[in-house]
Each structure stands twice: as structure tokens, then as C-alpha cells.
Amino acid sequence: MSSVPSCPSCRQPMEVHRFASHAGPELELDICFACQGMWFDRHENLKLAPAAVVGLFKLLHEHREDQHLPLATSMACPRCVAPLQKGFDVVRSGRYMIYRCGRQHGRFSTFSSFMTEKGFVRHMTRPEIDDMAKRVGAIYCTSCGAPVDIRKDHACPYCRAAFSLIDPQAVARAMEGYAEAGARAKLHAAQAAPVDIGDALVALERDRTRAERERQKKAFTSTSDDDDSSITGDLLAVGVGLVWAMLKAS
Ligand SMILES: [Zn+2]
Ligand SMILES: [Zn+2]
Ligand SMILES: [Zn+2]
């Protein structure tokens, strides 16, 4: 690819990142961190090697405090600018949304959809949902990205997906074939550590609020409230953080 493709959603240039593939040359993935999504040329998503998945988690973790944009209602193919067609794919761990070019150029996938597609998510248990409802008012649906009131709704009212969470154990299982024996043992130890998701959500949002305040200070705009009750928990970012902590420990 000679030119940098535009994000199908916000139309800004995407970041091009190179990743190891199972066979043949490296893969180039085009990523937009603001829109939380990436573009896969035809079949690219099937070829990511485990080392590339590790690299991807590292990148997502590094960008955890980036500002997010809502997805545009109409998206354009970065190769031919034709409108992308929205559809659902189904895997064992759930349904996920995908945006395809009708001319077979490829597909735009949100980070959440990618995690679901790879089998990296699991459904949340009722006690987990109840506990989280006490800590945060809303969460972003892992399936479609919409903010959802978890105290009222039992599934996402927009895409009907059950509440799900990145599962470090599922990621670890996928990595095991790749990790060396020593790393594998540490992987097991790391994934056995229990984590309070509610705590992790609140901590992440505090970091983000702080980062946002820094940004506003730099822009010389005034800032007023830093109110915890308006938190919308970002399960995806929390899950990425947990996985990255595990991968780093191994
Ligand atoms: Zn974008
Ligand atoms: Zn196209
Ligand atoms: Zn949803």
C-alpha cells in the first residue's frame, strides 16, 4: 500500500502497523485509535500470528487514554470509498458487528468485534454484573460500543448482545501454543490471580479523567467537574489492561 488509508468512520488517516503473520510477509494493519477500530484487507484477519496478537494488545494498552469518537452512521471503504455494509458474524462466544466492502476490499472491525471474533471474550456472570452496577452507572457494550445502563438492562438494547468481557484465560489459551515452557508456567500463574473488575474500571476512568484534565490544561480551557458518578465503564480497555499485565508477566 503506497498511501495511508483513511479511517472508514472519521476519515482521518489511519496508523499503519506491521505485524507478524503465520506465513509469508508481515501484515500491515490500518488502525484508528479514536474510532477503536481497524481495517483488514481481504482475509488479513485470519493470518495474525500469536506474536502479532501480543503486539496488538500492547498497542491497545498504550492507547488506553486516547479520546474516543462515536462511530459514524455511514462508513466508507478506505480503498474504493464505497459505503461499507453493516452485518453480524456469529462465533461461539457471541455475535459481533462487522462492516464490509461490497467490492471485497476487506472489512472494518472494532477492537471489541475483533476480541469476540478471536474468542477472547466470555459472558459476564450475574454477580459480576450486579457488582459492577454498584460501581459504575453504565458500560460501553463490548459488542457494538453503545453506552448501556447496566442497572436497568440485562443485555445491550441496541445489538442484543449479552454483556461480555475480555477473558485473559482465553487469551492465554490462544497464546500457549506459542509461548515457551517457562513463559507458559508464568502465564498460568498470572491468569490465576483474581481481579476485581469494578475496581479496575474505576481506576482506569480516574486515569482517563486525569489525562483529560491535562489535555484541557494544555489547551488553556477551563475545567470544572471531576465527578465519579458519571463514569461509563470501558470494559474493553479494562480487559486489554488485564491481558497486557498477564502477557508482560510471562
Ligand atoms: Zn477513525
Ligand atoms: Zn472497497
Ligand atoms: Zn451492543
Side-chain angles (χ1 to χ4, degrees):
M1 307 304 143
S2 49
S3 65
V4 178
S6 303
C7 171
S9 181
C10 71
R11 318 288 162 100
Q12 296 299 305
M14 300 182 97
E15 281 187 25
V16 181
H17 289 273
R18 284 167 214 286
F19 293 101
S21 98
H22 280 311
E26 290 182 312
L27 291 180
E28 271 187 8
L29 289 193
D30 310 314
I31 303 182
C32 180
F33 291 100
C35 298
Q36 301 260 285
M38 46 197 163
W39 174 259
F40 293 99
D41 283 324
R42 210 163 168 230
H43 299 322
E44 265 182 352
N45 60 318
L46 305 174
K47 294 187 289 198
L48 275 186
V53 175
V54 173
L56 190 57
F57 272 107
K58 181 169 190 280
L59 263 180
L60 297 188
H61 184 63
E62 285 167 358
H63 286 268
R64 67 191 174 283
E65 288 171 2
D66 284 16
Q67 283 172 304
H68 295 170
L69 295 171
L71 286 183
T73 44
S74 121
M75 303 217 205
C77 172
R79 306 295 175 210
C80 72
V81 304
L84 297 181
Q85 296 154 8
K86 181 166 146 182
F88 283 100
D89 272 355
V90 179
V91 288
R92 227 177 40 170
S93 48
R95 264 168 23 124
Y96 60 93
M97 214 178 269
I98 206 84
Y99 303 86
R100 287 187 185 82
C101 169
R103 296 182 192 154
Q104 315 277 322
H105 289 123
R107 47 200 248 157
F108 183 73
S109 175
T110 62
F111 300 150
S112 291
S113 287
F114 177 79
M115 299 301 165
T116 307
E117 178 186 350
K118 293 290 168 201
F120 289 166
V121 302
R122 64 168 174 81
H123 290 166
M124 286 172 67
T125 63
R126 196 64 238 173
E128 280 176 335
I129 294 171
D130 291 343
D131 180 60
M132 202 171 293
K134 286 183 213 140
R135 317 292 298 275
V136 298
I139 55 164
Y140 292 108
C141 170
T142 306
S143 204
C144 72
V148 180
D149 185 341
I150 50 171
R151 287 170 293 201
K152 284 206 313 243
D153 295 308
H154 295 281
C156 174
Y158 304 98
C159 74
R160 316 299 332 157
F163 296 134
S164 57
L165 192 63
I166 293 182
D167 180 7
Q169 301 198 23
V171 180
R173 279 195 297 275
M175 295 294 141
E176 271 174 1
Y178 149 82
E180 290 164 23
R184 222 173 288 155
K186 284 189 209 152
L187 214 54
H188 275 298
Q191 64 177 296
V195 182
D196 187 321
I197 304 292
D199 279 350
L201 275 175
V202 171
L204 175 81
E205 291 311 314
R206 290 230 174 90
D207 288 349
R208 278 202 181 149
T209 307
R210 200 180 313 127
E212 175 60 23
R213 235 178 278 140
E214 289 300 313
R215 270 194 290 265
Q216 287 178 344
K217 243 184 250 165
K218 275 183 202 139
F220 298 106
T221 53
S222 66
T223 160
S224 48
D225 58 328
D226 50 329
D227 176 11
D228 267 4
S229 66
S230 60
I231 282 178
T232 300
D234 189 339
L235 287 175
L236 176 76
V238 166
V240 166
L242 298 180
V243 169
W244 180 239
M246 175 189 77
L247 293 172
K248 211 174 45 178
S250 64

